[in-house]
Amino acid sequence: MTGGRGWHAMARRPTIKDIARRAGVSESAVSFALNDRPGVSRDTRARIRRVAEELGWQPNSAARALSGERSGAVGLVLARPAQTLGVESFFLQLVSGIQEVLSAGRVALLFQVVDDIDAECAVYRRWWAERRVDGVLVVDPRTDDPRPELLAQLGLPAVMIGGASGTDGTGGNGVLSTVWADDARAMAQVVDHLYGLGHRRITHVAGLPGLAHTARRMASLRAEAEARGLDPEHVRSVVTDYSDAEGAAATRRVLAEPEPPTALVYDNDVMAVAGIAVAAELGIAVPGRISMVAWDDSALCRVTHPRLTALVRDTAGFGRLAAEELLAVLAGSPTRARESERPRLEPRESTAPPAPAY
């Protein structure tokens, strides 16, 4: 599917007529079998149900499938460790923005959390077969992502949140519409700030490996370090699961090294706050001996002592943009990439020049 064709050429969902033709029976026989009504033999009922399953038909969606009506809902699946969702403000703000737009359009949001990407793909297949949703919002683009191809095969309209400019963010060349943020330029702002203060040993406490935005941030850090002639052994990334526990553990490890960093950049606010707690526990002054930056600003960053230097962006606005784009796709718009408001770095008390002797 190309960007110019939009989603008009959807894969057609199976109908009772399709099942009847494949099974070699009447449409009334199919209706009887799928609704568990008398009127067909046991063997015929079994054959009809087997054919229905092969075609992707779900009996509990029969009425909607016959009517051809939309479900009036869109879906959002998160394949993230469940323990990270309750403490990270990013998704709460994102969903609030999504919900604001959908509510105004009287469209429901069907939300599900799963263990991994395979389970997420299974949800999409089930939702498509059952006509549960008219389209989906897809988060956390992967560097090797099976979802754009699957959604295109199903003909399920979708918008990728956080893809790269000009593509779906996964090398799909416009298979999905995408809304994106300039992670590379955001990291450049962070490095500019820290380098200007005199920092030459910087560690990026990154999120989940395999996520496209994690890869972009890590690549940008390397590029910015190389452009300034910094030692790659002293400017690096370490990956975590975004949780406060792993953020704290990573902070403890790097601060115990023979040549510890003088600045830490965390991929979310929760890990940054955990890092400040570890520094306090170890008796390491922030920013006297270690500077810290949080990727996403939140109330946590502003009430922590010292207040955290952070990248500020309108996350709810990001969600609104994604929801608006999905509604546009459902209305027939072609696939495209739309950039969200660019993040800006807000320096606060957690960053300062490194101590001369440290």
Side-chain angles (χ1 to χ4, degrees), residues 15-337:
T15 66
I16 279 183
K17 183 178 293 186
D18 296 325
I19 299 170
R21 186 181 303 113
R22 176 78 67 89
V25 298
S26 67
E27 292 178 34
S28 59
V30 174
S31 180
F32 290 155
L34 295 181
N35 290 284
D36 203 24
R37 292 164 53 192
V40 293
S41 69
R42 182 175 62 183
D43 289 345
T44 299
R45 187 185 307 276
R47 184 169 78 255
I48 290 170
R49 288 184 172 176
R50 184 172 61 253
V51 169
E53 184 176 351
E54 291 170 355
L55 293 177
W57 172 273
Q58 296 292 328
N60 64 359
S61 64
R64 187 178 295 139
L66 285 171
S67 70
E69 294 179 356
R70 285 187 173 181
S71 68
V74 300
L76 172 63
V77 184
L78 291 183
R80 280 283 190 101
Q83 69 271 19
T84 68
L85 297 177
V87 294
E88 191 174 5
S89 64
F90 174 84
F91 279 112
L92 295 176
Q93 295 177 48
L94 183 75
V95 171
S96 73
I98 291 169
Q99 189 61 44
E100 182 180 339
V101 171
L102 296 182
S103 294
R106 297 186 178 182
V107 176
L109 178 64
L110 186 57
F111 177 76
Q112 188 163 343
V113 178
V114 296
D115 292 333
D116 54 38
I117 196 78
D118 290 336
E120 181 177 344
C121 289
V123 170
Y124 294 144
R125 292 188 185 96
R126 186 175 71 252
W127 281 353
W128 172 82
E130 296 176 353
R131 285 183 173 263
R132 297 288 299 279
V133 297
D134 299 317
V136 293
L137 294 161
V138 183
V139 297
D140 288 341
R142 266 65 174 178
T143 52
D144 183 15
D145 202 323
R147 295 172 297 176
E149 183 178 356
L150 169 65
L151 292 166
Q153 288 174 350
L154 294 176
L156 187 59
V159 170
M160 180 73 77
I161 300 176
S165 170
T167 72
D168 57 40
T170 63
N173 297 320
V175 171
L176 306 184
S177 280
T178 182
V179 295
W180 64 285
D182 197 338
D183 292 294
R185 183 165 295 192
M187 179 61 83
Q189 287 186 63
V190 173
V191 176
D192 275 340
H193 174 65
L194 295 174
Y195 185 84
L197 290 173
H199 293 279
R200 302 296 182 265
R201 299 201 302 273
I202 303 168
T203 295
H204 169 214
V205 183
L208 289 163
L211 297 186
H213 67 260
T214 301
R216 288 197 298 270
R217 294 174 190 181
M218 293 169 67
S220 179
L221 177 67
R222 291 192 299 269
E224 295 298 324
E226 183 178 353
R228 292 166 176 79
L230 300 180
D231 187 339
E233 292 187 3
H234 291 156
V235 181
R236 61 199 173 100
S237 300
V238 295
V239 296
T240 70
D241 67 356
Y242 286 109
S243 70
D244 56 337
E246 286 208 12
T251 303
R252 194 171 280 107
R253 283 196 306 273
V254 299
L255 291 182
E257 293 173 348
E259 283 191 293
T262 62
L264 291 169
V265 181
Y266 295 90
D267 258 1
N268 68 11
D269 54 343
V270 173
M271 292 196 296
V273 172
I276 282 186
V278 168
E281 172 191 325
L282 298 175
I284 298 175
V286 179
R289 288 179 57 195
I290 183 76
S291 287
M292 294 186 175
V293 178
W295 194 269
D296 284 314
D297 190 31
S298 72
L300 283 177
C301 297
R302 297 187 292 273
V303 301
T304 301
H305 180 73
R307 296 190 308 153
L308 277 159
T309 294
L311 280 162
V312 179
R313 62 175 170 175
D314 183 3
T315 303
F318 199 22
R320 288 193 294 271
L321 181 64
E324 289 167 359
E325 184 61 22
L326 181 55
L327 294 183
V329 169
L330 291 174
S333 290
T335 58
R336 57 183 174 175

